[in-house]
Amino acid sequence: MDAALQPDRGPAPRQAPDAALRHAVADGVATVVISHPAKRNAMTAAMWRALPVLLAELAADPAVRVLVLTGAGPTFCAGADISSLTGREDPQALAVAAEEALAAFPGPTLAAIRGFCVGGGGQLAAACDLRFAEEGASFGVTPAKLGIVYPASSTRRLASLVGPAWAKYLLFSAELIDAEQALRAGFLNELLPAGGLDERIAAFARVLVSRSRLTQAAAKEFADGRTGRDAYWADQAAGSGDTAEGVAAFLQRRAPAFTWRPDAVPAGSGPDHGAAVHGPTAG
């Protein structure tokens, strides 16, 4: 959550005309772009509300295997656009709802980061499964600048990524760290040279699309700490045919054709995406 995220007690502001979540789907990869260039891609209230809706739509699209979240131009997301907030809204609730919807997305999610990844931008990046960044990126969690209590769920997610010591460093100081420090802390999975991010994201997304959805779905649940589903996933593996196909493809030196799909999971047993309020998105 951006440290400067304080509700405006004035009348409801107008949505900035250049503020939107843009998306496209190609070759199994959905790319969601945070676009608000006038304010370094700061998220407006309408954009926070729109993100869970868009994620639910993409999760239901059988063509989507992988989700990439990035920012338009040279910045990922500089937090929240405080001028878009009103006294009727809880800014933390908006950000946490979007963060949790992103964390619950059923397929692998990657944050592709350039420039500033600060405040609410850091929340969104942390909610992704993986984070790749380009040299020159900056990271910060800034509520201590204004005495805001960072949400408990967001604090726990940050600590699970970087450990308690780095989480405290970031939260206590509100200082920005560079990409090399973020890599050492464990926040980043990969750090790419300038100009190398798009190519690496595209290549890695293709790798993910080629792998078993069954393996990915089960691994995501286990790694995120969900319990009580071991027998369920064992049954899915036994009935899917993915293991037999993977072994046969390996022996025959060909690409596997895995067949398991998320709709094999009974209704109500998958991740809960929660309710969402419609907001502006652009395809």
Side-chain angles (χ1 to χ4, degrees):
M1 196 70 182
D2 197 304
L5 195 56
Q6 297 280 13
D8 177 4
R9 301 301 176 182
R14 296 173 60 188
Q15 169 76 6
D18 62 344
L21 298 174
R22 307 187 184 281
H23 72 282
V25 177
D27 300 323
V29 181
T31 301
V32 175
V33 181
I34 303 167
S35 182
H36 191 183
K39 296 197 175 180
R40 292 179 173 174
N41 296 334
M43 294 277 288
T44 65
M47 291 166 74
W48 286 118
R49 289 192 298 268
L51 185 56
V53 178
L54 176 58
L55 292 173
E57 292 172 354
L58 294 173
D61 184 347
V64 173
R65 291 286 313 276
V66 174
L67 179 89
V68 174
L69 179 69
T70 193
T75 292
F76 180 73
C77 176
D81 178 6
I82 60 174
S83 67
S84 71
L85 300 169
T86 75
R88 297 186 298 274
E89 295 169 312
D90 180 347
Q92 282 198 348
L94 290 176
V96 169
E99 176 189 359
E100 293 300 323
L102 184 56
F105 192 81
T109 56
L110 294 81
I113 302 167
R114 294 183 184 86
F116 288 104
C117 177
V118 180
Q123 276 182 270
L124 294 176
C128 290
D129 296 313
L130 303 168
R131 286 150 296 280
F132 291 8
E134 201 166 82
E135 289 177 350
S138 299
F139 304 83
V141 189
T142 53
K145 286 185 176 180
L146 289 179
I148 295 172
V149 175
Y150 200 58
S153 59
S154 305
T155 301
R156 287 190 289 268
R157 180 168 286 118
L158 179 65
S160 73
L161 284 176
V162 302
W166 267 107
K168 290 174 183 177
Y169 178 94
L170 293 166
L171 285 163
F172 290 0
S173 71
E175 293 290 299
L176 299 187
I177 62 173
D178 61 28
E180 289 77 9
Q181 288 175 300
L183 181 67
R184 290 198 301 271
F187 187 79
L188 294 178
N189 295 95
E190 291 190 18
L191 177 58
L192 286 306
L197 183 62
D198 289 342
E199 182 178 356
R200 177 57 179 150
I201 287 289
F204 194 74
R206 287 194 297 271
V207 170
L208 294 181
V209 168
S210 73
R211 304 307 194 214
S212 167
R213 274 183 163 178
L214 172 67
T215 301
Q216 292 168 346
K220 181 163 181 167
E221 282 199 9
F222 295 158
D224 288 346
R226 184 168 182 177
T227 59
R229 298 251 292 173
D230 300 38
Y232 168 79
W233 285 113
D235 288 343
Q236 290 289 303
S240 71
D242 270 17
T243 301
E245 168 60 14
V247 171
F250 177 79
L251 293 174
Q252 297 166 19
R253 297 185 179 181
R254 61 172 174 81
F258 296 117
T259 57
W260 186 89
R261 295 292 182 267
D263 56 11
V265 179
S269 63
D272 179 12
H273 292 283
V277 181
H278 284 277
T281 61

